[in-house]
């Protein structure tokens, strides 16, 4: 009975998960997240499940073969890993900065999490990779900064209360 228990403890303790992603990305960029599952033990690990979840500022683009996509998550059923062996799974996500941030704004922090489950005793192994997402959107300019000036020279046409008057002025872009 004791050797079986000892092997079980080794399997739990020796399953490792390493999640790697860049530390920074521009809004709109593709972020590659790679999970490596290692068996550093002396016995084969059982089949497991690897699940990635991500913050709402990411949208999934593609993943390693065999994935199951859910809302805000992707998962794989992994085969047993022999002692000293490893498996890798990858997902590519598009990073988006909040719509209220601009180039000059501080970067926003977004994270991807990986969880390896299905280990003996219900034990799970987890890792997280967080990155700073920078906006590429320029700050809106004031009309003065944009070089927009408006002047009305003809006010001879009276407009009665409740009426309207339309002035049309070509912009520099319309002059071609």
């Amino acid at each position: 009975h004791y050797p079986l228990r000892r092997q079980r403890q080794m399997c739990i303790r020796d399953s490792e998960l390493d999640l790697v992603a860049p530390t920074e990305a521009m809004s709109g960029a593709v972020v590659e997240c790679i999970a490596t599952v290692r068996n550093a033990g002396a016995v084969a690990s059982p089949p497991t499940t690897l699940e990635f979840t991500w913050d709402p500022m990411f949208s999934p683009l593609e993943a390693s073969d065999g994935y199951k996509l859910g809302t805000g998550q992707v998962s794989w059923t992994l085969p047993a890993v022999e002692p000293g062996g490893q498996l890798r799974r990858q997902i590519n996500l598009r990073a988006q900065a909040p719509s209220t941030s601009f180039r000059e704004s501080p970067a926003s922090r977004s994270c991807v999490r990986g969880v390896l489950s299905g280990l003996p005793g219900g034990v799970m192994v987890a890792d997280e990779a967080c990155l700073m997402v920078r906006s590429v959107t320029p700050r809106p300019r004031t009309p003065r900064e944009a070089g927009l000036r408006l002047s009305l020279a003809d006010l001879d046409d009276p407009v009665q209360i409740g009426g309207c008057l339309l002035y049309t002025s070509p912009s520099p872009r319309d002059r071609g």
Side-chain angles (χ1 to χ4, degrees):
H1 200 90
Y2 180 74
L4 179 61
R5 181 179 175 146
R6 183 172 176 208
Q7 287 178 350
R8 183 174 169 184
Q9 288 174 344
M10 288 177 67
C11 183
I12 294 170
R13 183 182 64 222
D14 295 329
S15 291
E16 300 172 355
L17 174 62
D18 186 28
L19 183 57
V20 177
T23 57
E24 189 172 291
M26 300 303 283
S27 184
V30 176
V31 175
E32 183 179 271
C33 303
I34 300 172
T36 304
V37 176
R38 288 184 193 89
N39 181 354
V43 296
S45 69
T48 55
T49 299
L50 174 62
E51 180 179 282
F52 279 0
T53 58
W54 50 84
D55 288 344
M57 298 316 292
F58 291 113
S59 56
L61 298 175
E62 57 187 348
S64 299
D65 288 343
Y67 68 90
K68 292 178 189 165
L69 184 63
T71 303
Q73 70 178 28
V74 66
S75 64
W76 294 266
T77 300
L78 303 179
V81 179
E82 292 301 315
Q86 66 181 23
L87 297 171
R88 290 180 197 252
R89 295 297 183 266
Q90 173 181 329
I91 185 167
N92 293 342
L93 304 166
R94 182 160 323 276
Q96 293 297 325
S99 60
T100 56
S101 70
F102 303 105
R103 235 181 287 180
E104 298 82 11
S105 304
S108 60
R109 184 175 187 262
S110 294
C111 300
V112 177
R113 288 164 278 298
V115 176
L116 182 66
S117 61
L119 296 167
V123 172
M124 295 186 287
V125 179
D127 197 9
E128 179 178 67
C130 295
L131 57 144
M132 302 304 286
V133 180
R134 297 202 169 278
S135 177
V136 295
T137 306
R139 181 181 54 81
R141 298 186 298 174
T142 65
R144 179 174 295 259
E145 291 171 330
L148 180 63
R149 285 183 281 166
L150 179 64
S151 61
L152 297 175
D154 182 9
L155 296 179
D156 290 341
D157 297 322
V159 179
Q160 296 181 1
I161 295 176
C164 66
L165 180 64
L166 175 65
Y167 280 99
T168 306
S169 173
S171 72
R173 289 185 204 154
D174 294 338
R175 292 183 191 152

